[in-house]
Amino acid sequence: FPKAADILSQALTQFDPFEIKFDSFRSFQHGNSSVIWLHAEASDKIVALQEAIVKALPFCDDQSKKSASGFTPHLTVGQWPTRTVREKIGEFTRSTLSQVETFQVTHIDLISRDGMCPLRSFTGLL
C-alpha cells in the first residue's frame, strides 16, 4: 500500500479540489443483504480522477468493469437486510438528501482489508 500511495501521489498532482453533488439514494442486492449508496451527479472531474487512478494502477479497474456503463460515481452508505431497504431509502431521502448540496473533494483515501481484519486507511492523496 505505501508503494501504491506513492504512485498515486505522483499521478494525481494535476488535480485540484472539486465539488460533487449526490442526487439520490440507490441500492443493489449483495448476498443476503442489500447495499445502499448515494449516486453522484455526472462530473467530468470525478470521472477523470478515476481514469487517472486506473492509468496509474491498472489492476484497480474493477469499478470500471462492474457494468456495461462502466464506472458509476457513488458513495456507499452501508448494508441492510433486503426487506428493509425501501424503508431505509425513504428515511434517508426525507432526512438527509434534502439537506445535501455539494461536497468538496479534497483528498482520497485508500482502504485495504485482509480477510476479516478491519479496514486500513491511507489518507490524504490528491
Side-chain angles (χ1 to χ4, degrees):
F1 250 66
K3 184 175 180 180
D6 288 342
I7 291 169
L8 284 178
S9 288
Q10 294 173 23
L12 303 180
T13 57
Q14 79 270 16
F15 286 91
D16 292 321
F18 59 92
E19 289 187 346
I20 188 167
K21 182 175 182 177
F22 296 102
D23 59 12
S24 61
F25 285 96
R26 301 184 185 183
S27 69
F28 64 87
Q29 194 163 353
H30 182 68
N32 294 327
S33 61
S34 290
V35 173
I36 296 176
W37 53 283
L38 273 166
H39 179 265
E41 288 185 351
S43 165
D44 292 342
K45 292 181 181 181
I46 198 162
V47 171
L49 175 62
Q50 193 264 348
E51 288 173 351
I53 291 168
V54 172
K55 184 176 179 182
L57 301 171
F59 58 89
C60 293
D61 65 350
D62 59 316
Q63 290 297 315
S64 300
K65 295 178 178 179
K66 291 232 183 236
S67 72
S69 59
F71 173 63
T72 299
H74 70 282
L75 175 65
T76 300
V77 176
Q79 278 186 286
W80 280 267
T82 299
R83 61 180 161 61
T84 66
V85 166
R86 289 183 121 180
E87 177 184 338
K88 289 292 182 192
I89 287 177
E91 288 175 22
F92 292 151
T93 300
R94 286 187 300 278
S95 66
T96 307
L97 201 56
S98 62
Q99 300 170 20
V100 174
E101 290 186 19
T102 58
F103 293 92
Q104 190 78 9
V105 177
T106 59
H107 67 277
I108 63 170
D109 291 342
L110 302 179
I111 57 174
S112 170
R113 182 184 341 223
D114 186 15
M116 296 303 291
C117 298
L119 291 174
R120 293 185 322 148
S121 176
F122 295 84
T123 306
L125 302 175
L126 190 58

